[in-house]
Amino acid sequence: MEFFALDLETTGLDPRKDEILEIAWVRFLEGRPRERFQTLVRVAFLPKEVEVLTGISPERLRRAPPLPEVLPGVLGRLAGKVVVAHNAPFDRAFLQHAAARLGLELPEIHWVDTLAISRAIWPERESHALPALREVLGLEDREAHRALPDAEATGYLFLEELAAFPYLPEPTRAFILRGVPPPARELLAAGRKEGGREKTVLEEVFSLLSRKIPGFQLRKAQLGYAAWVERALREGGVYLLEAGPGTGKTYGYLVPLLLAPEGRAVISTRTKALQDQLWHRDLPALREALRADVRVALLKGFDNYLCPWALEREGGLFSGPLRKRIRECLSEVENPEVGELYKILGFDPEARALVERIRARPHRCLGRECPFLSRCPPRRARRSAQEAEIVVVNHSLLVADFLAGGGILGEYEVLIADEAHSLPKAFEEGLTRSISPADVAALLEEIEAMLPQLVPRRELRGVWAELRRLRERLHALLPDEPAPYSRREGLRFLSAAQELIWKLVALKGALEEGLSALEGEEKGMASGEIAALENLVSEMEYVLAAEGEEVFWSEKDPDIRFYATPLEFGDRLATDFWGRIRAAILTSATLSVGGRVDFLVRELGLGNAIHRVFPAQEKERRGRVFLLEFFPGPNEGGYVSALARLLSELRERFRRKIMVLFTSRKMLRAVRERLPQEGVISQLDWGDAAQAVEAFRAMDAPAILLGLDSLWEGVDFPGEELEILVVARLPFPNPADPLIKAKEERLRAQGLDPFRALYLPRAVLKLAQGVGRLLRTPEDRGAVIVADPRIVARPYGEVFRAKLTLPTRTVGDLEELLFALEEVFS
C-alpha cells in the first residue's frame, strides 16, 4: 500500500495572493516512511509573524530555489498518487493557484483530507488540529509548523485512521467513503496490505500501538501469540501458550481481550507485583491507545485493604499529625490498601503491629452494623469487580473464589492465567488446611486487644498456660524435619491438644455469656471473634485427627504447624472449575519440560489442552550461564566449603551484588557460617522474605543475599541490584518431603516413573524461574552460575540446559570461570 503525505508552509491563508514558502512530502509504503522530500521556496515577502511561527529566516529563503524550479518536479511526483494532507482543500488550493501562475496544469491527484476523517472518527476530541493530534499519536513535537515533520505526522495520522476504520459504525464508514476518491476508498475499505496479502486486524492494531505507546516495539512472535489468544477467545477451550522472554505476552493477551471481549473475563497472576503492573501501567496504556470502552477492576484479598472503622477505633495509637497524614493519603485512594499505609509508617515491627490492628479481617467485619459500611474498601472493591467486564486478581484470590463457589468474583466465561506455571502450587496451598500454636496465640492477642471489657481474665490465663505446655509437648513429639503422620499418630497429637481445646471452648462460652450485655458495634465485634474462635477449634480437631483423605503432615522449623493437603485435585478441578469456564488461556515462560506439558495437565486436571510455544526473542542479551563441571557434587562432603570459597572470591574479585538460591535451610545455614558477617544477608535471619529483599536492595555492592524457596520466583532485581546469580544445586524436590513422598507412591501405583513424571518437571521449571531473576530489563547484564555439576555430568542435564534461554558455557576450573566473568563485566 502506497500513499504520499504532503504539507505546505505559506506566507498567508489566501492562495490567490499568498505564496508557498516550504513544500514537503513523505512517501509511505506498507505502513512506513520510505522516501522524504523537503525544500524551502524563495518568496517576495516574508511576514514577521510567519517568520516567528516557522523559525524560517529571510536570509535562508533568499538562498532557496524559486517556485518555477521546484513546483514542476513536485507535481510530477504526486501525479496520479493518493495524497493525504491535513486540511487538504487548503494545500490543494495553494498548489492549484501556484501552478496557474506558472502556466502549469495541476495533474490528477487523489486527495484525502485527514482532518475531515479525524472529525468523523473521533467527534469527541476537543481539537483536531495537527499539534493536538501529534500528542495523541505520541509523536515528538519537534520543529512545529515546519513542512517535513508535519507531513510525516499527517501520514501517521492516516495510518491510525486506516486502523480505526474497520471498527466504525456502518453509517460513519459510508460517510467517510463518500468523501474520498476511489483509490483511497479502496484503501479504507480493503485495509492495508503487506507482502501481497491483506493485513489482519491484529497487525493493524499492533502497528498502531507501535506509534502510540512510547517504547513499544512490534514483535513477530507477539503477533503470533496474540492470534492464538484471539482464537482461544473466539473458539473456547483450554490453551497453554508458552512465551519465552521478550515475546511481549502481556500485550499479546490484553489486546485481543480489549478488542473483542468474549464474555466476562478474569486475569489472574501469581504475584501482586504483576497484578499491580497490569492495573497501573499496561491496562491504562492500552485502553487509552485502543480507546477501549471496557469496564475493568482490580481485586485483592479481603485483608489487603484497610478497615476505616478499625482506623477510627485505633486512632489513639497514632499521633495527631500522623493520623492526619494517614487520612489525607487514604482519602486520595478509592479502596485504600495496606501497602499505602506501609509507605507512611515503614516496615519496622511496631509499624507492622499497628497495620495488623487496622487491616480488614473477615471475622472482624461488622457488616451492616458498621458505620463505615458505605466506605468499606474491601466491599467496594468486590462490588466493582463483580460489575466489571475484566477483573485483575492473583492466583490466591482465584482459588479462594473457587472455594467460595464463585461468591467473590461472580460468574465469568474467560480466564487468562499469567505465570500459570504456579497454578498447581496455588491450588495446593489454597486447598490445604493448617493449624499452628502461633494461630492460637495470634487470636488470643486479638481477643485481648479487641474485647478488653468482655474477656474473662481467669479463663484467658488458663488458655495461655495450656498453650505454652502444648508447645513444649509438641517440640518433644515432632521430628526435626517435615514428616507425615498417620491416623494413630494424629490421635496422639489430638490427645496432647485436648486440654487446650477444652479451655478454648470454655473461653468461647464465657464470651458468649457476656454477648447479651453488648449492643451495636461492640456486639458485632465480639460475635466475629467468637466465630473465629469456633473456626480455629474446628480446624484444630480436623487437622490433628487425620481422618480425611488428605496427606497429613507436620513441620517444626521455623515454627510448629500441622497440615492437611489434598494429594490430587485434578479431578475436582476438571468438573468444578474448568467445566464452568468457556475459554482458558494459561501462559508463562515456563510451562513445558522437554516440549511436553503432561505434568501441568495432570496436576490441574486439564484434559484436552492445546499447547503452543513462542520462543524467546533472539536479541543480544548481556548475560551468560556458566555450568561448573569441576565443582564437587552437592551431596559430597566438601561442597559447602567449596561454595563458600566461591562466593567469597566472586564478592572480592568483582565487587557486585550476588544472590544465591538454595533448596534447603540446612545448606544455607552451613554456607552462612563460613561467610563474613558484613555484607551478607540470609533470608533465615530476617524471617520475612520481603524484608530480606528490601534490605538487600538498600545495600551497596558488594553484597550477598542467601535465599530459599520464595526467592526462586516473583522477585525482580533490575540493573545493578543483581548481577551474579548462583544456583547452589538443581532444585529437585526433597524426596523426604511428605507431599512428594505421597505423590511418588501414587505415581508408582499408576505405573508412572516418579522421576520423569514428578521430580524432573518440577526441578526444570523451578530452575528456569530462578534463572529468570537475572536480566529483568534489556539493559541489564550479568551471569548465572550453576554450581551443581550434575547439569553437565548426568543424562537428564540436557533437559535442564534446553530450558535455559541464555547462552551457556561449561567451565573446567575456577580460573576459567573468573576469566569468563571478566569478559561479561568488561
Side-chain angles (χ1 to χ4, degrees):
M1 179 207 66
E2 179 190 62
F3 67 87
F4 285 70
L6 173 78
D7 189 75
L8 307 177
E9 297 297 333
T10 63
T11 60
L13 302 178
D14 190 345
R16 292 167 297 184
K17 62 179 182 179
D18 294 317
E19 299 179 84
I20 298 171
L21 64 90
E22 188 178 24
I23 304 173
W25 53 255
V26 179
R27 176 175 171 256
F28 279 78
L29 184 65
E30 311 304 350
R32 296 292 179 192
R34 303 296 185 184
E35 188 179 355
R36 293 175 174 84
F37 170 86
Q38 180 270 340
T39 182
L40 293 174
V41 180
R42 191 185 309 161
V43 295
F45 173 71
L46 179 66
K48 187 64 177 176
E49 62 268 23
V50 176
E51 179 184 349
V52 173
L53 182 68
T54 62
I56 300 172
S57 65
E59 291 74 21
R60 292 180 64 189
L61 288 180
R62 278 195 288 271
R63 297 192 298 271
L67 188 65
E69 294 182 14
V70 173
L71 191 60
V74 170
L75 296 180
R77 192 71 177 91
L78 300 181
K81 304 296 184 181
V82 173
V83 175
V84 302
H86 205 63
N87 193 9
F90 176 89
D91 299 271
R92 179 178 182 176
F94 266 90
L95 288 180
Q96 191 169 14
H97 281 84
R101 285 196 291 270
L102 296 179
L104 301 174
E105 186 173 327
L106 190 69
E108 182 182 19
I109 295 174
H110 307 294
W111 290 94
V112 176
D113 185 9
T114 55
L115 175 61
I117 296 176
S118 176
R119 286 171 173 160
I121 295 178
W122 302 292
E124 72 283 4
R125 283 183 178 169
E126 292 183 5
S127 173
H128 295 273
L130 195 57
L133 295 174
R134 272 178 173 275
E135 186 176 344
V136 173
L137 290 169
L139 299 173
E140 286 183 58
D141 193 13
R142 54 185 178 85
E143 294 185 285
H145 299 288
R146 291 300 303 272
L148 186 59
D150 283 355
E152 190 160 321
T154 300
Y156 279 120
L157 173 60
F158 184 56
L159 290 174
E160 183 183 22
E161 291 169 344
L162 283 174
F165 185 83
Y167 306 104
L168 298 175
E170 180 57 38
T172 305
R173 291 205 300 268
F175 173 79
I176 292 172
L177 289 174
R178 286 196 298 270
V180 298
R185 195 178 303 159
E186 293 171 5
L187 290 178
L188 286 164
R192 292 188 291 139
K193 294 186 177 180
E194 178 176 293
R197 63 174 179 83
E198 192 169 304
K199 271 197 166 185
T200 66
V201 171
L202 282 176
E203 287 174 312
E204 298 281 1
V205 171
F206 276 103
S207 294
L208 168 66
L209 294 179
S210 67
R211 300 190 298 274
K212 296 192 72 171
I213 297 180
F216 176 79
Q217 292 183 338
L218 177 61
R219 287 159 276 193
K220 184 177 180 181
Q222 189 178 48
L223 272 176
Y225 177 94
W228 276 95
V229 172
E230 185 181 54
R231 171 180 168 177
L233 296 176
R234 183 178 64 250
E235 299 181 2
V238 178
Y239 290 71
L240 304 177
L241 303 185
E242 189 170 6
T247 304
K249 62 181 170 60
T250 305
Y251 275 23
Y253 61 71
L254 286 179
V255 168
L257 190 63
L258 289 169
L259 284 179
E262 296 284 349
R264 190 163 177 268
V266 168
I267 302 173
S268 181
T269 72
R270 191 194 75 82
T271 59
K272 292 174 185 174
L274 180 53
Q275 190 183 12
D276 287 336
Q277 175 190 311
L278 284 168
W279 179 250
H280 294 294
R281 191 184 74 187
D282 298 332
L283 269 172
L286 284 175
R287 290 178 72 206
E288 172 65 24
L290 301 175
R291 307 188 63 79
D293 186 19
V294 179
R295 288 174 298 167
V296 299
L298 172 73
L299 186 62
K300 297 181 180 179
F302 198 94
D303 58 0
N304 283 276
Y305 299 95
L306 292 178
C307 174
W309 174 72
L311 179 60
E312 186 73 18
R313 186 186 68 241
E314 305 288 355
L317 298 172
F318 306 94
S319 65
L322 184 57
R323 189 161 60 246
K324 180 181 178 183
R325 187 178 167 199
I326 292 171
R327 285 185 174 140
E328 287 176 352
C329 174
L330 300 185
S331 66
E332 299 172 1
V333 183
E334 183 178 1
N335 298 316
E337 298 179 21
V338 167
E340 301 297 325
L341 200 58
Y342 275 127
K343 293 176 185 177
I344 300 173
L345 300 177
F347 289 89
D348 59 78
E350 184 178 353
R352 294 173 69 87
L354 288 174
V355 170
E356 289 305 310
R357 293 175 71 94
I358 59 176
R359 182 195 293 269
R361 298 285 191 187
H363 71 271
R364 294 203 301 236
C365 181
L366 300 180
R368 297 188 180 279
E369 297 296 326
C370 180
F372 297 90
L373 182 64
S374 63
R375 291 191 282 136
C376 175
R379 288 177 179 270
R380 290 171 65 175
R382 183 173 296 187
R383 185 164 55 249
S384 296
Q386 292 179 344
E387 294 172 352
E389 296 167 83
I390 298 175
V391 188
V392 180
V393 304
N394 56 52
H395 292 347
S396 295
L397 187 58
L398 181 74
V399 176
D401 177 70
F402 166 64
L403 294 173
I408 299 174
L409 299 175
E411 292 185 3
Y412 55 93
E413 294 77 42
V414 174
L415 170 65
I416 296 179
D418 203 339
E419 302 174 311
H421 63 275
S422 60
L423 267 183
K425 185 71 171 176
F427 274 103
E428 182 178 276
E429 291 176 350
L431 293 169
T432 293
R433 301 170 69 172
S434 74
I435 191 67
S436 166
D439 297 337
V440 181
L443 184 58
L444 292 178
E445 290 172 354
E446 183 175 293
I447 290 173
E448 282 185 294
M450 299 293 180
L451 308 171
Q453 305 303 321
L454 189 63
V455 174
R457 295 296 164 184
R458 181 178 176 182
E459 281 86 346
L460 194 60
R461 284 195 299 271
V463 176
W464 277 114
E466 187 56 38
L467 181 60
R468 285 191 293 272
R469 283 193 289 271
L470 178 61
R471 281 183 186 272
E472 294 170 1
R473 290 185 204 136
L474 293 176
H475 263 290
L477 288 172
L478 293 175
D480 291 336
E481 298 297 325
Y485 59 90
S486 64
R487 164 75 170 147
R488 182 177 178 180
E489 292 168 315
L491 291 176
R492 192 178 175 194
F493 297 143
L494 186 61
S495 176
Q498 194 61 62
E499 188 65 30
L500 175 62
I501 291 174
W502 287 335
K503 290 186 179 298
L504 289 172
V505 172
L507 175 62
K508 173 177 168 287
L511 293 175
E512 288 174 330
E513 287 180 11
L515 196 62
S516 59
L518 302 177
E519 54 185 39
E521 297 173 7
E522 288 187 345
K523 186 171 184 177
M525 182 166 51
S527 298
E529 298 298 335
I530 291 169
L533 193 55
E534 182 176 10
N535 182 67
L536 183 142
V537 169
S538 175
E539 289 293 282
M540 188 181 298
E541 290 178 331
Y542 180 84
V543 174
L544 293 181
E547 285 187 303
E549 297 181 357
E550 299 95 331
V551 176
F552 293 88
W553 57 287
S554 66
E555 65 179 359
K556 195 160 67 174
D557 186 10
D559 198 3
I560 295 172
R561 184 167 287 276
F562 296 87
Y563 300 89
T565 303
L567 184 58
E568 290 185 354
F569 42 81
D571 290 345
R572 181 178 174 185
L573 295 184
T575 56
D576 299 339
F577 186 70
W578 304 114
R580 60 186 177 88
I581 298 172
R582 187 185 61 79
I585 298 155
L586 279 58
T587 188
S588 172
T590 52
L591 292 178
S592 64
V593 177
R596 300 179 64 86
V597 290
D598 307 34
F599 173 74
L600 195 65
V601 168
R602 185 178 63 254
E603 292 271 297
L604 293 176
L606 294 175
N608 294 324
I610 297 172
H611 176 223
R612 289 292 180 273
V613 179
F614 304 88
Q617 294 302 284
E618 294 297 330
K619 293 182 178 179
E620 183 182 354
R621 305 192 69 197
R622 301 167 65 189
R624 296 289 186 273
V625 178
F626 298 99
L627 313 177
L628 306 192
E629 186 179 35
F630 66 91
F631 225 62
N635 296 321
E636 296 179 20
Y639 179 82
V640 169
S641 297
L643 182 58
R645 287 194 300 272
L646 173 64
L647 295 177
S648 297
E649 182 73 25
L650 293 174
R651 179 187 179 190
E652 295 306 315
R653 181 87 167 249
F654 297 100
R655 313 293 294 176
R656 298 180 188 277
K657 301 188 81 170
I658 304 167
M659 180 165 73
V660 192
L661 295 176
F662 291 88
T663 59
S664 81
R665 295 169 179 270
K666 183 178 179 181
M667 182 181 286
L668 189 154
R669 288 193 183 100
V671 172
R672 179 68 184 90
E673 290 172 359
R674 289 166 171 78
L675 294 175
Q677 292 299 312
E678 294 298 320
V680 180
I681 290 179
S682 165
Q683 184 179 338
L684 291 177
D685 294 339
W686 288 79
D688 182 79
Q691 291 187 46
V693 166
E694 291 306 314
F696 180 64
R697 291 190 203 280
M699 293 181 71
D700 294 327
I704 300 176
L705 171 62
L706 308 178
L708 284 165
D709 187 73
S710 56
L711 298 189
W712 281 79
E713 59 178 300
V715 291
D716 288 348
F717 296 100
E720 294 181 358
E721 287 187 8
L722 179 65
E723 293 185 274
I724 299 177
L725 175 71
V726 179
V727 176
R729 65 182 298 166
L730 296 178
F732 285 108
N734 181 359
D737 182 295
L739 293 177
I740 295 299
K741 189 179 295 185
K743 287 177 181 290
E744 180 179 339
E745 293 174 0
R746 178 68 64 91
L747 288 169
R748 287 191 192 282
Q750 295 172 350
L752 297 173
D753 176 9
F755 182 77
R756 292 287 171 185
L758 175 64
Y759 287 93
L760 187 61
R762 286 203 174 191
V764 169
L765 294 177
K766 188 166 185 174
L767 178 66
Q769 286 297 319
V771 171
R773 300 313 94 211
L774 196 71
L775 306 185
R776 303 304 294 174
T777 73
E779 292 74 32
D780 291 355
R781 67 174 177 177
V784 177
I785 299 172
V786 181
D788 188 336
R790 293 178 296 175
I791 195 170
V792 178
R794 299 293 178 88
Y796 57 71
E798 183 180 353
V799 183
F800 284 97
R801 298 194 300 271
K803 201 65 180 175
L804 300 173
T805 58
L806 293 173
T808 61
R809 174 175 171 179
T810 301
V811 292
D813 56 47
L814 181 60
E815 282 304 312
E816 183 184 355
L817 172 65
L818 298 177
F819 181 78
L821 289 173
E822 293 282 4
E823 293 180 341
V824 172
F825 295 115
S826 62

